[in-house]
Amino acid sequence: LQNLREIKKKMHLKINQANIGYSKTLILNANAHLNLGEVCLVIGNNGVGKTTLIKSILNQIPLLSGEISINNKNIKNLSVKEIAESIAVVFSNSVIPQNYTVEDLISLGKYIYYPFYFELKKEDREEVYHIMEELDLVQYKNTFLKNLSDGNLQKAFIGRALTQNSPVIILDEPTTHLDEKNKIIILKTLRKLAQ
């Protein structure tokens, strides 16, 4: 328990005096400090830079100024793999892999730890199944993604992020295509994970 408390104290995402945007600044002088177990919600109109902020946290778009760090390491100095091990992300307009089932997609979160051609371990497959249970997706396990409703597709992408086991999960408009029942499932799952 003491070790877990120490990890919680150390794990954090920090944004320090960051100007975020492209040629034009969308977000000026952003500051945030999030510890492991905290949930943060960013609200704003379309076009104000929410997705650009996410891409900046992932180091996909360079900051105009300032710094973003994970565990006191500047993201500019981290590899793509190191960022993926620290942050799982689901964008609202994720590309749907052709001929993938729900189980295939959710299993993809594990492949940041293995070469793609490796077989998943038994405990990985059990974790994938458990996440499908949590998200009420077991009945769609072998359903092709192209045949899912928007809501179940969104839940499957969130499931992929969860199997990545990264300490930070970023969701871009996670409940957009969900009905009330599924919104509650997602929000309860995220709260449980955070705790």
Side-chain angles (χ1 to χ4, degrees), residues 1 11 34 56 94 104 107 114 125 129 134 147 155 183 186:
L1 191 58
M11 175 57 65
L34 297 170
S56 296
S94 298
D104 294 335
S107 297
Y114 306 111
R125 293 197 178 282
Y129 187 83
E134 288 276 323
N147 297 332
K155 288 198 299 181
K183 281 181 185 178
I186 292 297

Side-chain angles (χ1 to χ4, degrees), residues 54-62 75-78 83:
I54 294 170
K55 289 181 177 180
S56 296
I57 291 169
L58 298 172
N59 200 31
Q60 293 176 356
I61 297 173
I75 55 150
K76 290 193 287 191
N77 301 325
L78 297 176
I83 291 173

Side-chain angles (χ1 to χ4, degrees), residues 106-110 113 127-128 131 159-165:
I106 294 174
S107 297
L108 277 181
K110 287 293 172 200
Y113 303 104
E127 184 182 347
V128 167
I131 286 170
R160 181 200 47 82
L162 298 179
T163 58
Q164 204 168 311
N165 286 328

